[in-house]
Amino acid sequence: MRHHMDHRKLGRTTEHRIAMLRNQAVSLVRHDRIQTTLEKAKELRRFVEKLITLAKRDTLNSRRLAARHVQDPEALKKLFGTLGPLYATRPGGYTRILKLGTRRGDGAQVAIIELVGREPKFEDKTKKVRKAKAPKEAAEGKEAKAPEAEEPKKPARKPKAKAKEAPEAEPAPEE
């Protein structure tokens, strides 16, 4: 039974495992999402959420506690300057794990771990753009006049090479 087993060992020694989690935490803070195996993502979630909780209360002591694990000054600055205030009112659950399937080489389950609220914005290209009526005309209830239809411009084409015709022979002058 796994009673009181605190963490996954991930097939590494303690020093290697902690160093890996620190490096992945820095990458996650910098890039807002990383791809890794599902087991590493689940361990990283525990590690990063503790760091973000420290960043929520921006005190000297919490900065020092976080700096023990995040030894990159740029990532530490982003953690306390951007992520801490962003999640100040959120009571936990700062990360999301998305399962991607299995890796082809070894069959390991792969996942993306990302920070909630920091996912990339994608525009939906399937939505049709609606043309709005002019504000004055819509308020007055008048029908909007259709703008004059302009002829579509045709792209300039190179003239086709015409076969040279023999010049017409002029009739010989009669004498």
Side-chain angles (χ1 to χ4, degrees):
M1 287 190 244
R2 288 189 48 87
H3 293 228
H4 296 286
M5 300 300 253
D6 190 31
H7 55 79
R8 294 169 182 85
K9 293 187 179 179
L10 302 174
R12 289 163 171 79
T13 61
T14 303
E15 295 83 12
H16 187 186
R17 182 176 55 252
I18 292 171
M20 181 194 64
L21 289 173
R22 287 176 178 174
N23 288 332
Q24 284 190 331
V26 168
S27 296
L28 182 62
V29 168
R30 275 190 180 173
H31 303 292
D32 297 330
R33 67 185 333 202
I34 59 170
Q35 180 176 333
T36 184
T37 62
L38 183 62
E39 291 77 17
K40 288 179 193 172
K42 287 179 178 180
E43 274 303 302
L44 181 62
R45 175 177 50 193
R46 295 179 64 217
F47 193 82
V48 169
E49 292 203 2
K50 290 175 186 176
L51 291 176
I52 293 174
T53 303
L54 283 174
K56 284 170 61 173
R57 54 176 198 270
D58 189 9
T59 62
L60 179 62
N61 187 39
S62 62
R63 278 184 182 267
R64 286 179 176 167
L65 288 173
R68 289 193 313 182
H69 299 293
V70 180
Q71 293 159 356
D72 181 23
E74 185 180 314
L76 199 61
K77 217 177 268 188
K78 183 177 178 181
L79 187 65
F80 280 88
T82 306
L83 299 179
L86 177 69
Y87 298 124
T89 58
R90 189 179 184 95
Y94 315 115
T95 58
R96 174 184 299 126
I97 295 177
L98 304 169
K99 296 179 184 178
L100 296 179
T102 56
R103 192 162 49 199
R104 186 174 180 189
D106 59 356
Q109 291 182 327
V110 181
I112 288 178
I113 181 168
E114 64 183 4
L115 296 173
V116 174
R118 303 282 296 180
E119 50 277 327
K121 305 291 181 194
F122 295 108
E123 293 181 14
D124 190 8
K125 295 182 180 180
T126 60
K127 291 183 180 177
K128 295 181 181 178
V129 179
R130 296 181 185 175
K131 293 184 180 179
K133 292 183 180 179
K136 291 181 183 177
E137 295 172 358
E140 295 174 8
K142 295 181 181 178
E143 292 182 17
K145 293 181 181 178
E148 295 179 18
E150 295 180 15
E151 294 182 25
K153 295 181 181 179
K154 295 181 180 178
R157 290 192 283 176
K158 294 181 181 178
K160 293 182 179 178
K162 295 181 180 178
K164 293 185 180 180
E165 298 177 10
E168 293 181 22
E170 294 182 18
E174 292 180 27
E175 291 186 22

